[in-house]
Amino acid sequence: MADINLKEITLIVGVVTACYWNSLFCGFVFDDVSAILDNKDLHPSTPLKTLFQNDFWGTPMSEERSHKSYRPLTVLTFRLNYLLSELKPMSYHLLNMIFHAVVSVIFLKVCRLFLDNKSSVIASLLFAVHPIHTEAVTGVVGRAELLSSIFFLAAFLSYTRSKGPDNSIVWTPIALTVFLVAVATLCKEQGITVVGICCVYEVFIAQGYTLPLLCTTAGQFLRGKGSIPFSLLQTLVKLIVLMFSTLLLVVIRVQVIQSQLPVFTRFDNPAAVSPTPTRQLTFNYLLPVNAWLLLNPSELCCDWTMGTIPLIESLLDIRNLATFTFFCFLGTLGVFSLRYSGDSSKTVLMALCLMALPFIPASNLFFPVGFVVAERVLYVPSMGFCILVAHGWQKISTKSVFKKLSWICLSMVILTHSLKTFHRNWDWESEYTLFMSALKVNKNNAKLWNNVGHALENEKNFERALKYFLQATHVQPDDIGAHMNVGRTYKNLNRTKEAEESYMMAKSLMPQIIPGKKYAARIAPNHLNVYINLANLIRANESRLEEADQLYRQAISMRPDFKQAYISRGELLLKMNKPLKAKEAYLKALELDRNNADLWYNLAIVYIELKEPNEALKNFNRALELNPKHKLALFNSAILMQESGEVKLRPEARKRLLSYINEEPLDANGYFNLGMLAMDDKKDNEAEVWMKKAIKLQADFRSALFNLALLYSQTSKELKALPILEELLRYYPDHIKGLILKGDILMNQKKDILGAKKCFERILEMDPSNVQGKHNLCVVYFEEKDLLKAERCLLETLALAPHEEYIQRHLNIVRDKISSSSFIQPIFPTSKISRVEGQKIPTESVKESRGESGQTQIVKTSDNKSQSKSNKQLGKDGDEETPHKTTKDIKEIEKKRVAALKRLEEIERILNAACSERWRRWAHIRSIQ
């Protein structure tokens, strides 16, 4: 075996790069979504051991819905990509391209075992550019084929070194082969088939046996006319070791899948559930179909399931002729390779083995698979095809009459294949381009129509998506998933009646429960979502909540491990005000999946409804342990800490809110709550910055506007508060607290009594029984020197709130003022007013709740705590000079000034109605789709 040189490696790598560089600009499509975007095993927060407990798609192997595809080493490389670039697809595609180049180079080394140097390079170039590999290279999930092939070929190369001088056994390469086989199998299941290739190589290549010679030797031994040759005994020892190792790997693999085969439906592989002879005729016909794709890869399709290839139900079907021709050709090559001992027959034999043996797991020979045809599974079989083509070209090119023609044809094949591969890569740019290209090849596959609809649905183009979903139901009328898609799209278009009809149609297509027969074995697990979707639709009607609950319970009865049904039912039970039953539902779901952060989050919401904030916080923390970037858990746990009033929790609350705005930089609520937290910590400048950021993101953010104005009011910047209040009232003219604060500032800072009066009168127009607005209007009358009107006003206010001591006190002040006057006090709006300590009627101030809520709330505070620092004080006589103040009077004044300042720091927070409104808005249950 000649070594490969740098020029050959450079040539192959250059060709691979030229063919696949445009794949770097493709996204995550088709199966990539499940394997990459939705797979939590890629996240650094997921323990590494979980990769060896879950399947390729991140589903626990123990679950019935698992596909049982156990490829932890491939997932480990995805995780490496995630560590480097998270979910940016370019790095994933780049690594795939590198792996394909590596496979092509190793394949060149394998070809040198059976072909001359020139033919080996040609075979390797054909393999590098073959369009059938686009799905394996450009589709990110195809990495399983690439990785498995690297170790597959490495294991074979290692085994070829197990023959020592004088036909002795070299055990180190055999041990390495067994190890590499195990690694290849952990990348993809078909890696184990290299053992069969090693066995064929040992018997027919390394030992040089032909089938007739083998039969003769065995016959002589059985008749007692001879003994087994020593070389054959050594071969048997090596084969026994290989087979025992293989058996051990198979046993371990069966244990991993817990002796359960994956559940597929007739939609995935119609022939698998068809009767005899339809099943056999169709499966046999699929072999020439796959061979034709290798020979003529002009029409490629990403999905060959459902009705792509119609079933062969009769022996008279013309397609049986293709099957017969294929087996005749294959049989001829097989007889030639096994009967003769020349180099050519050995090359053909190894080519056939590389084509046939790795294809066996996908052939439906031993167990049904979840597809009809899959281009990516032809990645390794195409190696044998390329060797066969290169060997045939070698035979033809040696004849001078065909030499030039053979080179021209070969050049045309490599060029056209390269162009086809390059063009095919663009089909994988997005899901829409991929599935539209597939529909050009095959219009009888309802799954393709559905997938184009999904792509349009992701772009919010529901009208066009609906057309494709409806077409899917016409192509395959009994496709449950298609009817579910139609129903969901109708729902998105707010056509609930049609949506319910579509869901009911899908539900009617579900097979009935048969006593003693496992339901899940006859239906795809995701089809049970029809019950979830239908229940989610009808529960919007308050009168049909029980009916929705019945649907959830029906789904659970069909599959007791149906986690989503428990989750959705828990949400419904919360809506029905049954938090204890909701708690039971979520605890049951957690028994099925304790590593689901969303479930712990939902349980935390239940504890909030049960008025158990400590338990809620524990569950929020558990959710964040599993997913430190869980946005809703970050936000709501921070609010819970903030509202607890515990100072020691504020730093952690701030940290979580900062993490939240890092994840959701465009959500004004995160900045607003950081501002409220800063207000709690008396960090006024920081609070101002956060409030302004919230308002910048959401100009009509009611709570942010009011609390920024209140902050200015509390920090003696009342005049800066006015334009903020004007903006607030422009969006919310009926904002009572905003009107109260504006009136307070106008009267005490701007001396605009008339403007303040309009504010308080507007409040009473909206709410005649508003005590605070009524009281502040009384203050206005007092400021206007209309004492009798002020007295009547205070009497009316006292009638509204007879237990408010400060109103009675203010009424006494007014009456004292009236009794001390010798005449009815006229209105003197411009008179100078002297200040007499101890007699003052303040306007009432308020503070907004911490979140955007549907209702405004007013905090009533007592007179000695809530007086505004700038409230004007009223004297007995408009012309009387201020008496001289003693030291005692000055101290008393200072005490009252301190008390007034203290009021600014001790305004009560609204923690009841307004907060509950906010919780209802933000602490919503997150459904897990």
Side-chain angles (χ1 to χ4, degrees), residues 61 66 70 81 134 174 247 256 302 368 479 482 498 574 629 645 688-689 846 876 881:
M61 294 292 289
S66 169
Y70 189 64
N81 275 122
T134 312
I174 294 177
L247 182 62
V256 167
C302 63
D479 182 8
E498 292 95 332
L574 272 181
K629 294 184 179 181
E688 180 182 356
V689 171
V846 291
K876 292 184 179 179
E881 292 185 0

Side-chain angles (χ1 to χ4, degrees), residues 168-216:
S168 60
I169 300 175
V170 183
W171 289 105
T172 301
I174 294 177
L176 181 59
T177 297
V178 172
F179 172 75
L180 291 171
V181 170
V183 174
T185 306
L186 290 175
C187 294
K188 192 177 181 183
E189 298 78 4
Q190 68 181 23
I192 201 170
T193 59
V194 71
V195 173
I197 294 174
C198 291
C199 292
V200 172
Y201 174 84
E202 175 66 30
V203 174
F204 296 101
I205 309 299
Q207 302 301 329
Y209 284 100
T210 60
L211 190 59
L213 179 58
L214 204 60
C215 291
T216 300

Side-chain angles (χ1 to χ4, degrees), residues 27 67 81-82 84 102 118 131 159 207 358 384 525 616 657 664 879:
H67 281 213
N81 275 122
Y82 188 92
L84 295 174
V102 172
K118 188 184 298 181
Y159 186 80
Q207 302 301 329
L657 285 172
E664 288 286 343
D879 296 325

Side-chain angles (χ1 to χ4, degrees), residues 623-801:
L624 290 170
E625 286 174 12
L626 294 168
N627 180 9
K629 294 184 179 181
H630 195 291
K631 291 179 285 191
L632 291 175
L634 284 169
F635 183 83
N636 284 302
S637 63
I639 300 302
L640 198 60
M641 291 175 175
Q642 197 173 354
E643 300 294 358
S644 70
E646 294 187 35
V647 177
K648 64 181 180 180
L649 293 178
R650 286 180 189 168
E652 179 62 23
R654 185 177 187 276
K655 180 181 175 182
R656 293 188 182 186
L657 285 172
L658 287 171
S659 298
Y660 175 76
I661 63 173
N662 186 53
E663 295 296 315
E664 288 286 343
L666 299 180
D667 185 6
N669 286 278
Y671 299 96
F672 167 73
N673 281 282
L674 277 167
M676 296 303 292
L677 195 61
M679 288 178 70
D680 287 342
D681 291 332
K682 307 297 186 294
K683 298 177 181 178
D684 297 332
N685 292 334
E686 183 183 334
E688 180 182 356
V689 171
W690 291 123
M691 291 295 182
K692 284 183 176 179
K693 285 186 177 181
I695 294 167
K696 185 178 180 181
L697 287 171
Q698 186 179 334
D700 62 344
F701 197 156
R702 184 185 62 188
S703 296
L705 287 165
F706 179 81
N707 281 287
L708 179 58
L710 186 62
L711 177 66
Y712 285 143
S713 174
Q714 292 176 347
T715 53
S716 302
K717 300 176 183 177
E718 289 86 351
L719 296 183
K720 291 182 71 173
L722 271 180
I724 303 297
L725 288 169
E726 292 290 350
E727 190 72 6
L728 171 68
L729 294 170
R730 182 168 71 86
Y731 289 113
Y732 307 101
D734 299 339
H735 195 287
I736 292 177
K737 288 182 285 184
L739 288 166
I740 289 176
L741 185 57
K742 181 183 177 182
D744 180 69
I745 294 173
L746 287 174
M747 187 161 62
N748 294 302
Q749 297 299 317
K750 298 284 287 185
K751 315 303 181 190
D752 184 358
I753 305 299
L754 183 60
K757 185 177 182 180
K758 288 179 179 179
C759 289
F760 300 137
E761 286 177 342
R762 172 63 181 150
I763 293 171
L764 294 176
E765 286 177 12
M766 294 184 289
D767 183 10
S769 62
N770 187 285
V771 174
Q772 203 164 8
K774 186 79 171 175
H775 172 268
N776 288 354
L777 184 60
C778 299
V779 176
V780 171
Y781 294 149
F782 194 89
E783 290 285 347
E784 291 177 337
K785 303 297 189 295
D786 193 343
L787 299 180
L788 294 179
K789 199 169 186 179
E791 181 185 24
R792 287 196 300 273
C793 178
L794 285 168
L795 284 170
E796 293 172 1
T797 307
L798 190 61
L800 291 173

Side-chain angles (χ1 to χ4, degrees), residues 503-522:
Y503 284 140
M504 292 301 293
M505 172 61 75
K507 184 172 175 285
S508 68
L509 293 171
M510 299 283 282
Q512 299 300 311
I513 298 176
I514 301 174
K517 187 169 184 180
K518 204 169 187 180
Y519 181 82
R522 298 175 295 114

Side-chain angles (χ1 to χ4, degrees), residues 48-104:
L48 278 174
K49 65 177 183 179
T50 307
L51 273 64
F52 294 87
Q53 297 170 349
N54 294 348
D55 67 11
F56 187 53
W57 317 98
T59 305
M61 294 292 289
S62 58
E63 291 192 13
E64 192 173 13
R65 63 191 177 94
S66 169
H67 281 213
K68 311 301 180 186
S69 47
Y70 189 64
R71 305 162 191 172
L73 296 186
T74 304
V75 179
L76 191 61
T77 65
F78 291 152
R79 184 161 172 149
L80 177 63
N81 275 122
Y82 188 92
L83 199 63
L84 295 174
S85 64
E86 293 194 348
L87 294 176
K88 295 176 182 176
M90 182 174 287
S91 73
Y92 294 80
H93 290 294
L94 176 62
L95 196 55
N96 270 26
M97 188 173 73
I98 292 171
F99 284 148
H100 180 54
V102 172
V103 173
S104 300

Side-chain angles (χ1 to χ4, degrees), residues 23 62 119 133 141 161 247 332 343 354 451 481 679 703 712 720 727 827 839 889 913 920:
S23 69
S62 58
S119 300
H133 300 155
V141 295
R161 292 175 171 82
L247 182 62
T332 301
D343 290 340
L354 279 170
N451 284 333
M679 288 178 70
S703 296
Y712 285 143
K720 291 182 71 173
E727 190 72 6
I827 300 175
Q839 291 186 337
D889 292 331
R920 278 194 287 272

